[in-house]
Amino acid sequence: MNQDVLADLSSRLPGLRLLTDPGDLEHYGRDWTRRWAPAPLAIALPVSIEEVQGIVHWANERNVALVPSGGRTGLSGGAVAAQGELVVSLARMNQVLDFNAVDRTLTVQPGIALEAVHGAAREHGLIYPVDFAARGSCSIGGNIATNAGGIRVIRYGNTREWIAGLKVVAGNGELLDLNRGLIKNSSGYDLRQLMIGSEGTLGIVVEATLRLTDPPPASQVMLLALPDMDALMQVFALFRSRLSLQAFEFFTDIALKHVLAHGAQRAIDGDHPYYVVTEFDAVDERVQDIALEVFEQGVEQGWISDGVMAQSEAQAAALWRLREGITESLASHKPYKNDISVRIGAVPDFLQDIQSLLAREYPHIDVVWFGHIGDGNLHINVLKPASLSDADFIAQCEHVTKLLAQALQRHGGSISAEHGIGLVKRAYLESTRSAAEIALMRGVKATFDPNGILNPGKVFA
Ligand code: MLT
Ligand code: ZN
């Protein structure tokens, strides 16, 4: 049966590369969540917009589900193919197509890695400012599909701020050329923005025009040790009042323990429960003095217990590694990941609320807190104890996530700050979006993808 379906696709698109080797099915059928057993029908590797369109038309006719696929570094199961879907990998569509110096835009294919985008922008003396640890493996198409955030959101915002135009093959097979790089375009609904963050459920991004900007001025990186969680937002307010921040990230001693065990270098001696890595513009020595003043003030207030300022680029990179190495250092512990956000102003009350909740619900389990606290975004990673089966562990985490979702509702937050809903969080969508919103979202889905062939089961059941 599968053979017939694939033979039909091959006869329709004779040049299309299809993979059916078990190793390939396994590789392309899963993302970084590792929770679902991959079971795709096959992997299609189109090289052109026409091939993507051909696949989508064919899938509509044959009622075959498609899973659009980028670097599969996602953490919500958005790129998982576990139900016999055809994976549409954009890996071979990975070129820079155009740079426009006047518009300051870079037009790329969706399969290009974020790091390659950074490099291409730098070649023209500019930057593409969205950045995070998976930069070498994730693809720009996936970044767009999840409206990826990362470590510079505090300065530059999320992916959606940097997309000037998108070409998308919608679920009905239409090719849409959205916004065409315009800065000003007040001509009705912005379908480009609707596509960004839609997790491959409305269309497949086949080309993106990215906005670039000037590189930031010289910067300084500091690592701070904090005595308690209450101090976090006090230190944030203090630093933000005097310095122009590019990043303000936090992690706990448990995160530090794992990242050090994974090869990172300790930068501050002693035991401290919380740490912050911050980067700020440091155009001249005056800023260094201000940073030291602010640091001293934090120490006097009892909000900071120790700190170190990077003295070289290598040291700055080593401090960043303490934060950016966390995900990798936890991977072998099969973490259950919560990626939640509240308004920055609501963070202190929210933290109070959930600290006791998590301590109560996970008494004997390591819970690692880290994330983009300057954006109100926390990553809470619960590590699986060896004694618990995968199923029991996930059941326990799902129970706690329900309670967390209720807390988020009370504080007006979101169950997914930047990883997306995918499969992992779809049961909690109602905690963040109203019934009226979800009904409209379903209507949008039905309009773009009337036969429901695009990434079925993701975002909504
Ligand atoms: C991060 O901020 O490091 C990423 O969102 C990855 C993660 O949450 O594990
Ligand atoms: Zn993150």
Side-chain angles (χ1 to χ4, degrees):
M1 165 63 187
N2 285 357
Q3 293 307 329
D4 292 352
V5 174
L6 292 177
D8 182 50
L9 177 58
S10 289
S11 71
R12 182 81 165 257
L13 297 167
L16 178 66
R17 186 185 293 176
L18 284 173
L19 308 177
T20 52
D21 200 68
D24 291 323
L25 299 184
E26 165 118 18
H27 176 70
Y28 287 93
R30 65 184 189 182
D31 64 7
W32 280 7
T33 48
R34 299 287 189 267
R35 197 192 297 180
W36 290 272
L41 165 70
I43 318 302
L45 287 144
V47 287
S48 66
I49 293 178
E50 292 70 29
E51 276 192 343
V52 174
Q53 241 184 324
I55 295 169
V56 174
H57 281 307
W58 171 84
N60 272 287
E61 286 162 29
R62 297 294 305 246
N63 197 24
V64 173
L66 303 177
V67 174
S69 181
R72 294 179 308 289
T73 57
L75 297 163
S76 292
V80 166
Q83 308 276 353
E85 306 93 330
L86 178 69
V87 172
V88 183
S89 166
L90 285 310
R92 294 173 79 203
M93 294 173 67
N94 62 357
Q95 299 300 303
V96 173
L97 300 176
D98 186 40
F99 166 70
N100 189 312
V102 178
D103 289 330
R104 298 182 125 196
T105 55
L106 191 73
T107 299
V108 298
Q109 292 184 305
I112 189 168
L114 175 61
E115 196 165 57
V117 169
H118 290 160
R122 257 197 316 272
E123 276 174 28
H124 300 287
L126 296 168
I127 62 159
Y128 175 71
V130 177
D131 193 19
F132 41 89
R135 61 183 74 80
S137 336
C138 69
S139 73
I140 203 78
N143 293 181
I144 293 167
T146 52
N147 183 29
I151 56 177
R152 309 271 166 194
V153 171
I154 197 171
R155 166 68 60 92
Y156 296 106
N158 299 289
T159 297
R160 73 168 71 256
E161 265 81 38
W162 298 93
I163 306 300
L166 275 186
K167 282 191 186 159
V168 173
V169 174
N172 63 6
E174 297 262 16
L175 176 63
L176 306 173
D177 190 359
L178 304 175
N179 198 58
R180 304 181 306 282
L182 298 171
I183 304 272
K184 302 189 81 172
N185 181 9
S186 215
S187 60
Y189 307 145
D190 191 340
L191 303 181
R192 159 194 54 161
Q193 291 297 350
L194 198 50
M195 287 292 164
I196 301 168
S198 64
E199 301 186 46
T201 62
L202 302 180
I204 302 179
V205 173
V206 289
E207 198 176 296
T209 297
L210 313 175
R211 287 174 52 217
L212 306 181
T213 191
D214 292 314
S219 62
Q220 186 61 257
V221 178
M222 260 180 129
L223 176 70
L224 307 169
L226 275 51
D228 53 57
M229 216 180 237
D230 289 346
L232 264 179
M233 297 317 275
Q234 313 272 25
V235 173
F236 175 59
L238 178 64
F239 271 62
R240 186 137 97 150
S241 70
R242 303 280 310 276
L243 298 163
S244 183
L245 300 183
Q246 293 185 22
F248 194 89
E249 301 274 315
F250 100 110
F251 53 92
T252 59
D253 50 354
I254 309 181
L256 180 70
K257 179 182 84 182
H258 286 280
V259 90
L260 292 178
H262 222 73
Q265 294 295 310
R266 181 180 281 283
I268 293 179
D269 288 331
D271 290 334
H272 307 275
Y274 299 97
Y275 295 87
V276 163
V277 175
T278 181
E279 184 161 350
F280 46 86
D281 294 351
V283 261
D284 52 33
E285 279 177 16
R286 213 172 35 91
V287 181
Q288 303 259 5
D289 295 342
I290 294 173
L292 288 174
E293 260 174 56
V294 166
F295 174 76
E296 290 302 335
Q297 234 176 305
V299 173
E300 274 162 33
Q301 294 283 351
W303 299 331
I304 300 177
S305 24
D306 206 346
V308 55
M309 176 116 70
Q311 300 302 325
S312 64
E313 272 190 30
Q315 208 184 347
L319 296 185
W320 264 117
R321 184 162 178 213
L322 295 170
R323 162 63 184 90
E324 292 206 294
I326 295 171
T327 298
E328 207 184 315
S329 74
L330 301 180
S332 62
H333 300 272
K334 298 191 174 175
Y336 181 95
K337 285 173 180 282
N338 291 113
D339 159 46
I340 55 181
S341 66
V342 292
R343 280 181 304 104
I344 301 170
V347 169
D349 283 352
F350 179 66
L351 288 180
Q352 283 286 343
D353 212 354
I354 64 164
Q355 254 179 306
S356 48
L357 173 100
L358 295 180
R360 188 184 70 225
E361 296 294 332
Y362 292 124
H364 306 298
I365 294 185
D366 263 2
V367 180
V368 185
W369 299 56
F370 63 101
H372 322 282
I373 195 73
D375 310 318
N377 176 188
L378 287 169
H379 295 310
I380 297 170
N381 282 214
V382 188
L383 307 190
K384 192 184 95 58
S387 57
L388 271 187
S389 71
D390 286 4
D392 286 349
F393 173 63
I394 287 171
Q396 184 173 354
C397 295
E398 301 262 295
H399 163 72
V400 181
T401 300
K402 260 188 218 127
L403 303 176
L404 207 49
Q406 288 164 9
L408 283 162
Q409 220 160 10
R410 288 197 297 278
H411 293 270
S414 173
I415 194 72
S416 176
E418 59 172 6
H419 295 168
I421 295 293
L423 293 170
V424 174
K425 290 165 219 146
R426 110 192 146 174
Y428 314 101
L429 187 62
E430 289 84 3
S431 67
T432 301
R433 311 298 294 265
S434 69
E437 278 184 287
I438 294 173
L440 287 168
M441 282 161 67
R442 286 187 186 280
V444 170
K445 165 79 175 163
T447 302
F448 280 91
D449 181 23
N451 295 319
I453 55 138
L454 274 187
N455 228 3
K458 314 294 165 50
V459 183
F460 319 98

